[in-house]
Amino acid sequence: MTATDRFTGFVDRAHAAGRLVVQPRMGFGELHRMRAGLAAVREADATTVGTVTLDSYTRCLDDGTARRALRDDPAGLNGFPLLAHGVPAVRALLQDCSSAGFPVQIRHGTPRPLRLFRAMAEVGTDATEGGPVSYCLPYGRVPLARAVAEWSAGCELLAAQPVPPHMETFGGCMLGQLCPPSLLVALAVLEAMFFQEHGLRGISLSYAQQIHQGQDLEALAALRRLAGERLSTTHHIVLYTFMGVFPRTEDGSRRLLAESARLAVLGGAERLVVKTQAEAHRIPTVEENVAALEYAASVAATTAGSADGPRATSSGLYEEARTLVHAALETGRTIGDCLVRAFARGVLDVPYCLHPDNANRARATIDARSMLGWSRAGGMPVTSGGAAPVTARHLTELLTFNRRRFDRDARRHPLRSAS
Amino acid sequence: MNGRAFAGRRLHVVVSGLSSDAHLWNLVHLQLFLEDLGHEVANLGNTTPDATIVEACRTGRPDLLVISTVNGHGRTDGLRLIRTLRAVPSLAALPAVIGGKLGIDGRDHADARLLAAGYDAVFDDAAEGGPESGLVRFEAFLGRQAAGHSRGRPTAGAGAA
């Protein structure tokens, strides 16, 4: 029996104590800024874990460009160039900034993680995240079979460490918005099963807040139930504040963040990855991240004691997600094989995703109840309504649904200023 | 954004993200936007290497290349791409534009460097009027292209994202 990693242990202890763990997305080019960012998150008035988000060049394994950017314009990098800094510098950073009371997750977004995972093992990370599908289909052009092969090798490399790091599936966040929750739940469970198959034991399953609280609560319950049926390892659920087109007003984005914090508590999620008021405009500062963490934590704390709130819908979401998982698992022998074949056959199909290995025949829409649903099933075993072809204007309306709703609420009922 | 019939040629347009940018919705939206206006689109998708974009332009011979990027590396990656593209003799005069969030700090980067390097227009989300006014300017640019103007006049504006 391997030792439990610090990330898994921290989240479990916080949950037992009735506290929601909140986490930012944060990555800076320079070491001293990354260090200051982690310190600020650690000192925030909330139960926090740290994040080191890698820059886009490192995600694409374009080390040369990352190194040049680090030399010429480090402040212009949109994240932390792990490989360019080198193992000794990053190991020192993590030794200084992380602990059992403040574990740090490295976030990356690459379909080919082997080199990065090797570096992560060498620097001693507590946790990382992604998945063979969720970091392949939306994030580039790497063939799915290749991503699956490299994720298999990468997960096995991590599982062979003295203390294997925690691994979170990003499958419940596909494309950030406009993906019906049954597919998000199915993908999160399938990727978690993939991690388990490759020997990882500290696992979490993600779900991204969408557009309807009741539907999101139903999705979180379905995710917990399906994960419980399919995983033998301990696992927790991480909710993401809405990842799509964000409200423009400060008030609107605070409302959306508050709604996600309530959703996390009511839906029983152990961890919340927040967004900030800057989201609609640019990459947030450390101060904006800390403000978002503290606000989310305060909303979560007041929600924990209240009995009223939105109710979960009962739209058959669990059954649809379970059907998708079953249909995928019938296609192959290993989870990795199943994922490749299910997408090749269109049994799994992420709507609007342009990757060559995705059928892209399914279409999602927002129905009359303001819930996400299928307007076209493609080859998936899901229930769909009829569909008119989507125009650019209609797509914009779908994508800006939350922005318009929360900005409108902000105009009608301004919040009292608080920070 | 009204899908009405337009006067002029049907343009063959290559749409692409840049090498380090994994964002997708901006590309999906741009494709629909162009198709609604009656144009034909080859969408290369996200994280597209420079060589793939150049090759698609060389073999597909489009009327226009539209680069959309929102990850904040647009200034760097977009500059490298257009220099590579303009170095190919057969693509020296291909109309090419770039738009989106071009830097990480929310400032307007529709600066002379991108235009000087060879883009015919830059539509920066951070420019005055934001993305919506950029789309309006982009549509006007398309109208001029379809009407047969070979080179659009550089305008600072917002990207379509």
Side-chain angles (χ1 to χ4, degrees), chain A residues 258-300:
Chain A
E259 190 162 291
S260 70
R262 281 192 292 273
L263 187 62
V265 173
L266 297 170
E270 288 87 347
R271 182 159 58 97
L272 173 71
V273 176
V274 304
K275 286 248 178 187
T276 70
Q277 293 164 13
E279 232 52 60
H281 312 288
R282 53 178 166 71
I283 292 180
T285 63
V286 171
E287 293 71 25
E288 285 161 340
N289 263 310
V290 169
L293 291 166
E294 292 182 340
Y295 182 59
S298 70
V299 172

Side-chain angles (χ1 to χ4, degrees), chain B residues 2-8 36-38 139:
Chain B
N2 49 16
R4 66 176 181 279
F6 64 100
D36 291 351
L37 290 169
E139 190 172 345

Side-chain angles (χ1 to χ4, degrees), chain A residues 175-312:
Chain A
L175 301 198
Q177 63 183 123
L178 209 54
C179 183
S182 60
L183 181 60
L184 296 176
V185 168
L187 289 171
V189 170
L190 285 164
E191 284 194 333
M193 290 170 71
F194 175 91
F195 296 150
Q196 183 175 273
E197 186 176 69
H198 291 288
L200 292 165
R201 290 294 170 264
I203 292 173
S204 51
L205 300 95
S206 64
Y207 179 77
Q209 175 190 22
Q210 300 293 323
I211 56 166
H212 188 286
Q213 286 187 85
Q215 188 179 32
D216 286 342
L217 285 169
E218 186 182 357
L220 288 168
L223 179 60
R224 187 169 299 284
R225 183 173 164 191
L226 205 50
E229 290 164 3
R230 289 288 181 177
L231 300 174
S232 57
T233 59
T234 56
H235 51 270
H236 73 256
I237 288 178
V238 49
L239 178 73
Y240 281 67
T241 302
F242 181 63
M243 290 167 59
V245 178
F246 227 67
R248 284 207 185 89
T249 61
E250 196 173 305
D251 235 27
S253 58
R254 278 168 69 82
R255 282 167 188 276
L256 185 51
L257 175 59
E259 190 162 291
S260 70
R262 281 192 292 273
L263 187 62
V265 173
L266 297 170
E270 288 87 347
R271 182 159 58 97
L272 173 71
V273 176
V274 304
K275 286 248 178 187
T276 70
Q277 293 164 13
E279 232 52 60
H281 312 288
R282 53 178 166 71
I283 292 180
T285 63
V286 171
E287 293 71 25
E288 285 161 340
N289 263 310
V290 169
L293 291 166
E294 292 182 340
Y295 182 59
S298 70
V299 172
T302 54
T303 306
S306 72
D308 58 342
R311 295 284 247 305

Side-chain angles (χ1 to χ4, degrees), chain B residues 98-102 107-111 114-115 120-138 153-160:
Chain B
I98 185 169
K101 290 180 169 54
L102 303 176
R107 285 188 299 128
D108 179 359
H109 291 285
D111 51 37
L114 288 162
L115 294 167
D120 296 281
V122 179
F123 304 97
D124 194 318
D125 275 1
E128 193 160 340
E132 286 80 2
S133 94
L135 267 181
V136 171
R137 281 193 289 273
F138 177 57
R153 292 184 57 76
T155 49

Side-chain angles (χ1 to χ4, degrees), chain A residues 55-57 60 62 65 73 75-78 137-141 175-178 248 280-283 351-354 390-393 395-396 399 403, chain B residues 1-2 19-25 27-29 31-33 36 43-49 52 71-73 75-77 80 101 104-106 131-132:
Chain A
D55 69 286
S56 302
Y57 298 128
C60 302
D62 185 359
T65 307
D73 182 24
L77 277 163
N78 64 0
L137 294 186
Y139 283 77
R141 331 166 63 74
L175 301 198
Q177 63 183 123
L178 209 54
R248 284 207 185 89
H281 312 288
R282 53 178 166 71
I283 292 180
Y352 305 103
C353 178
L354 299 170
V390 174
T391 62
R393 174 177 293 228
L395 182 74
T396 300
L399 293 175
R403 165 179 285 179
Chain B
M1 304 246 280
N2 49 16
S19 58
S20 79
D21 193 347
H23 288 87
L24 197 83
W25 285 116
L27 304 173
V28 175
H29 175 263
Q31 175 170 354
L32 291 174
F33 183 81
D36 291 351
N43 196 339
L44 304 186
N46 56 4
T47 59
T48 313
T52 306
N71 75 340
H73 285 176
R75 276 184 303 165
T76 319
D77 295 353
R80 191 192 61 229
K101 290 180 169 54
I104 64 167
D105 51 6
E132 286 80 2

